[in-house]
Amino acid sequence: MKLLKNSTLLACGLALCAMPQTILAKGVTPKPGENPDISYTVSFGEELSKTPAKRTITIPNVGEFRVLKGDFHIHTLFSDGRVWPTQRVIEADGNGLDVIAITDHIEYRPFVGGVPRKNKAGKVTNFPLLNGTEDYNLSYEIAKVEAGKRKLLLVRGTEITKSKMPPGHVNALFVTDVNKIAAKQDDFREMFKEAVAQGGFLLWNHPGWEAPKSGGIEKGAPTTFTDVHTEMYEKGWMHGIEAFNGKQFYPVVAKWCTDKNLAVFANSDIHPPEFDMYGVRNPLRPITLIFAKEKTLESVREAFFAKRTIGWAANMIFGQEKWVRQLFDACVEIKKEGGNLIFVNRSSIPAKIKVGEQTVTLDPMSNATAQSGAAAKTITVENWLVGKYKPLIVPVN
């Protein structure tokens, strides 16, 4: 026992010696002559805080448009997410986003609210709402208070969640009352009609998600535009598609969006806390870029229906060529100096540029040089995609 105590004391002594002087100076050791029976609170706030600073994302204006950053597929405890709605706002603000939509499921609410769910023993496992009535707008109402404090735009939305593909899962964004959509949940077509009648924007979620029992495709199956999705598109029940969801990329979506003039999205579809999915303020996380006339919900909605969106995730840009090209021109300046090409990146978006037989990496907010590249007539931006495996090609003037 005596040895254990000595060992413990030794370990404590070593730990104390290893403490940075800034911490020791905080009052860990008593001052000479100080009464040992008197102590004061010591704050280690700055020393113990390891959270990175709020992320800053720099993207120049594209012509008359501001480039807003958003995530339009987010879950909370009011469906199958793991955090309170307020926390989603805090995470988004820390990531440098301008606008988000909380899109809790209508049909699947295993934690709070929804249809009572029972385990094999017959015990209800989800918590009913205290007033005894279901309110599918509640997560939005809770989050909007914090969003207002942080000047983060919050879109009212929901996820229409069918267990079979097609139609799979569809987000309804910019709706006015989710309860009226939920009231029609026995018929997905009626749900779509109601969402559109409210002025809603319908987004086809994760078209290549492999989960046949939960509304996804069969494992190993190709990502296809089915007859039901053609019907949705022709009836005005589809306005955009996720090309990137969570940690998955569906290359064919950029082509679909170009061919059918649909808006492209890169969303997190986040369920756990941000830290557990991406780490803290990870620059590789998915973000949807919106070309908006100003930072207002009305401008974001107008941009959605005008299809002025681009996906950005895992150091990739993808979308319709007319918007991707304009974004590149706004972000990257190309200069000729001697026989070289100089690339100046004025944004937080990286670019992998092929000039002839050489490839240069243009990091965020940096310069790069292509030696003897001035004779090139075009460059290929390999990580900026405008179709299925189709990189952006930019002429050199």
Side-chain angles (χ1 to χ4, degrees):
M1 183 63 70
K2 184 176 181 181
L3 179 61
L4 178 61
K5 289 182 178 179
N6 288 342
S7 298
T8 303
L9 288 172
L10 178 61
C12 291
L14 290 173
L16 186 61
C17 290
M19 284 186 181
Q21 292 302 313
T22 53
I23 292 182
L24 287 174
K26 279 280 191 175
V28 174
T29 56
K31 297 178 181 179
E34 185 176 65
N35 186 332
D37 295 328
I38 296 177
S39 178
Y40 302 94
T41 300
V42 179
S43 173
F44 291 113
E46 294 181 1
E47 290 82 359
L48 298 185
S49 178
K50 297 297 182 183
T51 303
K54 178 179 175 178
R55 182 182 174 194
T56 299
I57 301 174
T58 301
I59 302 177
N61 289 352
V62 176
E64 65 177 308
F65 302 117
R66 296 181 59 176
V67 182
L68 303 182
K69 291 81 65 181
D71 187 350
F72 302 95
H73 194 165
I74 294 175
H75 294 281
T76 77
L77 281 164
F78 287 90
S79 59
D80 56 346
R82 303 283 175 162
V83 305
W84 194 247
T86 302
Q87 183 61 27
R88 291 301 186 212
V89 173
I90 296 170
E91 291 171 347
D93 183 49
N95 275 307
L97 302 186
D98 301 298
V99 52
I100 63 170
I102 291 178
T103 54
D104 281 318
H105 301 284
I106 288 177
E107 297 89 337
Y108 185 57
R109 299 164 78 83
F111 299 141
V112 179
V115 176
R117 302 174 63 84
K118 296 182 180 180
N119 59 19
K120 293 181 180 180
K123 181 180 178 180
V124 175
T125 57
N126 58 332
F127 294 94
L129 297 178
L130 293 179
N131 62 5
T133 61
E134 191 58 77
D135 184 357
Y136 293 88
N137 296 296
L138 192 53
S139 55
Y140 168 85
E141 297 296 339
I142 293 171
K144 75 175 183 179
V145 176
E146 186 68 26
K149 292 178 183 177
R150 295 174 181 265
K151 296 181 171 54
L152 181 83
L153 301 179
L154 182 65
V155 175
R156 189 190 300 268
T158 189
E159 184 164 10
I160 297 169
T161 313
K162 298 310 172 186
S163 60
K164 292 183 179 181
M165 171 70 85
H169 299 188
V170 174
N171 275 356
L173 306 171
F174 289 102
V175 294
T176 56
D177 187 354
V178 181
N179 291 325
K180 291 182 179 180
I181 303 171
K184 302 176 183 294
Q185 61 186 275
D186 291 336
D187 186 333
F188 71 83
R189 290 179 173 84
E190 292 301 316
M191 297 177 82
F192 295 159
K193 288 179 184 178
E194 176 61 34
V196 169
Q198 294 184 23
F201 179 99
L202 295 184
L203 170 64
W204 180 14
N205 296 337
H206 43 66
W209 179 45
E210 297 179 337
K213 295 182 179 180
S214 301
I217 62 176
E218 296 290 335
K219 292 188 180 299
T223 306
T224 59
F225 209 95
T226 71
D227 291 342
V228 171
H229 293 103
T230 297
E231 176 194 354
M232 292 166 57
Y233 170 72
E234 291 177 348
K235 290 185 174 180
W237 300 340
M238 181 189 300
H239 307 109
I241 313 177
E242 286 182 337
F244 198 104
N245 172 281
K247 297 180 181 180
Q248 296 183 338
F249 179 51
Y250 317 115
V252 73
V253 170
K255 181 180 185 303
W256 290 349
C257 289
T258 296
D259 293 348
K260 301 176 184 299
N261 190 28
L262 295 167
V264 181
F265 285 78
N267 292 325
S268 69
D269 192 4
I270 193 165
H271 289 71
E274 176 90 17
F275 178 83
D276 290 339
M277 186 159 180
Y278 297 117
V280 181
R281 298 166 190 175
N282 184 350
L284 301 181
R285 84 181 302 281
I287 291 176
T288 299
L289 303 180
I290 310 102
F291 293 9
K293 294 178 181 177
E294 55 187 6
K295 187 182 175 181
T296 63
L297 286 173
E298 293 78 12
S299 287
V300 174
R301 183 178 181 277
E302 187 274 331
F304 275 20
F305 279 102
K307 317 304 170 17
R308 296 194 305 269
T309 64
I310 288 175
W312 176 26
N315 282 340
M316 294 187 299
I317 287 288
F318 38 87
Q320 294 193 41
E321 184 169 2
K322 59 183 176 181
W323 304 123
V324 173
R325 173 64 192 280
Q326 290 184 47
L327 179 66
F328 184 84
D329 289 345
C331 292
V332 179
E333 179 184 1
I334 304 174
K335 300 188 294 185
K336 293 182 179 181
E337 290 188 4
N340 303 328
L341 279 184
I342 310 296
F343 302 101
V344 182
N345 191 351
R346 307 190 190 283
S347 78
S348 298
I349 307 172
K352 185 178 179 182
I353 301 173
K354 188 171 183 179
V355 184
E357 297 301 317
Q358 63 179 309
T359 300
V360 297
T361 299
L362 183 59
D363 292 326
M365 307 299 293
S366 70
N367 299 350
T369 301
Q371 301 291 337
S372 304
K377 297 187 182 302
T378 62
I379 62 171
T380 301
V381 191
E382 295 183 328
N383 64 322
W384 290 47
L385 304 178
V386 294
K388 181 182 176 183
Y389 309 124
K390 180 183 177 182
L392 175 68
I393 297 176
V394 179
V396 177
N397 298 320

